[in-house]
Amino acid sequence: MFKSFTAVALLTLSLSSTVFAESLKLSSQDITNGEFMSKAQEFTGFGCSGSDLSPQLKWSGAPEGTKSFAITAYDPDAPTGSGWWHWQIVNIPSTVTEVAAGAGSTKKALAPEGSMQITNDYGSQGFGGACPPAGHGIHHYRFTVHALSVDKLELPEGASGALAGYMINANTIETSTIESLYKRD
């Protein structure tokens, strides 16, 4: 009886490993979930004097059917009524699994080939760092990688963050997020 149970248990475990494939996982050398970001990720302007450097991001475990990726960085705590888009980059080829620090630069072409950076809420195409109002408390910055079911999002030049967000979400298979913190006293 015990041998039969053991055999069934081993068979079940071996079959379940194929059912429970690795899920999408996002990591970074520059930001940590639940921890404060450094001044490197602070915006330059609007009273902020950071390096405006997008963080290094790496992901693994893309789900079956992934044809491209998108990265978003969003602050839901911005006092706008609709949050603040710090970064949206779409049409990242499915062969890419990492972006270097600075890939969201608005001055250098460091983004993955074939990708498209959406105009952020500061008004520039690329990454715009954290710059919450002084004394406004802790803000949460959600850096998310999206595994998409399409090769390319067909977005017009100058697409809004809302339109890009809609198209990203409409084609997302799975996401993984690092939520970092920032505040200015």
Side-chain angles (χ1 to χ4, degrees):
M1 173 90 170
F2 181 72
K3 287 183 182 178
S4 296
F5 176 75
T6 303
V8 169
L10 287 174
L11 179 61
T12 302
L13 286 173
S14 68
L15 291 175
S16 67
S17 68
T18 59
V19 173
F20 298 107
E22 181 183 7
S23 63
L24 189 60
K25 181 169 175 31
L26 180 61
S27 62
S28 176
Q29 298 170 353
D30 300 323
I31 58 172
T32 304
N33 198 55
E35 300 291 329
F36 283 91
M37 292 185 287
S38 74
K39 194 139 175 106
Q41 280 76 49
E42 184 181 89
F43 188 66
T44 304
F46 287 29
C48 291
S49 59
S51 300
D52 207 20
L53 188 68
S54 62
Q56 176 270 350
L57 298 170
K58 184 175 185 172
W59 54 94
S60 62
E64 187 174 326
T66 300
K67 295 184 178 174
S68 67
F69 295 100
I71 297 170
T72 59
Y74 177 72
D75 172 9
D77 303 314
T80 63
S82 61
W84 193 271
W85 288 109
H86 287 267
W87 193 24
Q88 292 173 303
I89 179 171
V90 300
N91 302 337
I92 300 169
S94 63
T95 55
V96 174
T97 59
E98 181 174 7
V99 292
S105 174
T106 58
K107 297 172 180 76
K108 300 175 186 172
L110 301 174
E113 189 173 331
S115 65
M116 174 184 183
Q117 300 206 63
I118 306 302
T119 301
N120 62 39
D121 283 343
Y122 291 112
S124 58
Q125 282 187 308
F127 178 77
C131 187
H136 198 256
I138 297 171
H139 282 226
H140 300 79
Y141 295 85
R142 296 177 183 155
F143 290 84
T144 303
V145 64
H146 303 256
L148 303 179
S149 61
V150 294
D151 292 317
K152 184 177 181 180
L153 294 178
E154 297 297 334
L155 292 167
E157 190 67 33
S160 69
L163 177 58
Y166 174 83
M167 294 301 290
I168 290 168
N169 288 320
N171 292 285
T172 293
I173 301 170
E174 189 175 348
T175 65
S176 184
T177 300
I178 295 173
E179 185 176 83
S180 292
L181 311 173
Y182 205 78
K183 75 174 188 171
R184 289 176 55 221
D185 294 323

